[in-house]
């Protein structure tokens, strides 16, 4: 039973990471394209597209963080340096970006 739960947590963790990168990539691509745009309706459309992905980005970031915190409890890897480094990096990035 625990092995199935671990596999699901890993799957959800990777899925949340991919979803986060896709949602964040939309905003990043829009930011680079926005610099060259001069047409006001197109600028508004780009900003609306970026705004529509923010909720997905935060939900997937939260899912990635929660599954990333749950997994070490199940597979007993709290003694690994990379686990603590990834937690600290995620906290640092969250504070920096917010």
């Amino acid at each position: 039973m625990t092995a199935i739960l671990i596999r699901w947590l890993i799957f959800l963790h990777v899925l949340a990471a991919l979803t986060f990168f896709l949602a964040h990539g939309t905003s990043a691509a829009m930011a680079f394209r926005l610099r060259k745009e001069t047409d006001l309706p197109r600028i508004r459309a780009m900003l609306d597209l970026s705004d529509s992905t923010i909720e997905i980005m935060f939900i997937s970031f939260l899912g990635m963080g929660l599954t990333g915190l749950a997994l070490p409890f199940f597979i007993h890897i709290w003694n690994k340096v990379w686990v603590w480094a990834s937690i600290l990096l995620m906290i640092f990035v969250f504070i920096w970006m917010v």
Side-chain angles (χ1 to χ4, degrees):
M1 180 65 179
T2 305
I4 294 171
L5 180 62
I6 290 170
R7 287 184 184 184
W8 272 105
L9 283 173
I10 291 171
F11 171 74
L12 291 174
H13 185 72
V14 172
L15 180 66
L18 290 174
T19 306
F20 174 76
F21 292 135
L22 286 173
H24 196 276
T26 303
S27 295
M30 181 276 317
F32 288 121
R33 180 71 179 133
L34 192 62
R35 293 179 185 182
K36 299 175 186 173
E37 194 58 54
T38 57
D39 188 26
L40 189 58
R42 287 180 54 112
I43 291 172
R44 286 186 180 144
M46 287 183 195
L47 291 174
D48 286 342
L49 175 65
S50 176
D51 189 48
S52 69
T53 61
I54 287 178
E55 285 181 16
I56 297 168
M57 184 176 59
F58 279 120
I59 290 169
S60 59
F61 189 78
L62 182 65
M64 188 172 44
L66 292 176
T67 55
L69 285 175
L71 276 166
F73 285 107
F74 288 104
I75 53 180
H76 307 291
I77 55 170
W78 283 110
N79 58 344
K80 306 290 184 188
V81 174
W82 63 267
V83 172
W84 291 102
S86 65
I87 291 170
L88 291 174
L89 182 63
M90 192 166 184
I91 292 170
F92 174 75
V93 167
F94 180 77
I95 291 170
W96 182 267
M97 297 303 282
V98 171

